[in-house]
Amino acid sequence: MRLPLHDRGGKGNGTRPYDSIRLKIKPFNIKIALSSVCCPRLFYSGGELLEINHSFIEGVLVLKPEGDIDHHSAMDMLGSMRSIRDMYMPPRIMLDMSDVGFMDSSGIAVVTGAYRLAKETGSEFALCRPKPQPLKVLKAAGLDRIIKILLEK
């Protein structure tokens, strides 16, 4: 296949042959989790699917990720949290981490990003029920001194 290029003063007619590019796409099964308002939020996290469910009850927006939070899913998750927050503009946001089994340093960015999203609109923010490994990461980063962490919901 030959694609036209701008002629930069060289020989020829301004075209150059290109090699084809092959993309490898891993097959995976998609499961959809529906929130209380039926908005699925799915992220591909390495070899696993990360879901984020949300519910809005009595002025509290509860965001509940399920799966591992790593560099594959972090930025998409933050964008999704922003759009969910913009739908409700809640006075309180709670990040329920009871179904997050693993979190790396990208998870710190997700938690601090969620905290900033809440503060942008003047909302209160709390993180609840983290499992031992994510809690260890949060404490090592010193986030337990900045963000309210509830061990029980």
Side-chain angles (χ1 to χ4, degrees), residues 103-128:
M103 182 176 88
D104 64 8
S105 60
S106 300
I108 295 168
V110 169
V111 172
T112 56
Y115 175 76
R116 286 187 189 126
L117 287 174
K119 295 304 169 187
E120 283 175 5
T121 57
S123 302
E124 295 176 29
F125 181 80
L127 186 144
C128 73

Side-chain angles (χ1 to χ4, degrees), residues 63-80:
L63 301 168
K64 188 174 182 180
E66 297 177 7
D68 296 340
I69 301 175
D70 57 20
H71 70 279
H72 296 289
S73 61
M75 291 302 112
D76 290 335
M77 189 174 170
L78 276 173
S80 184

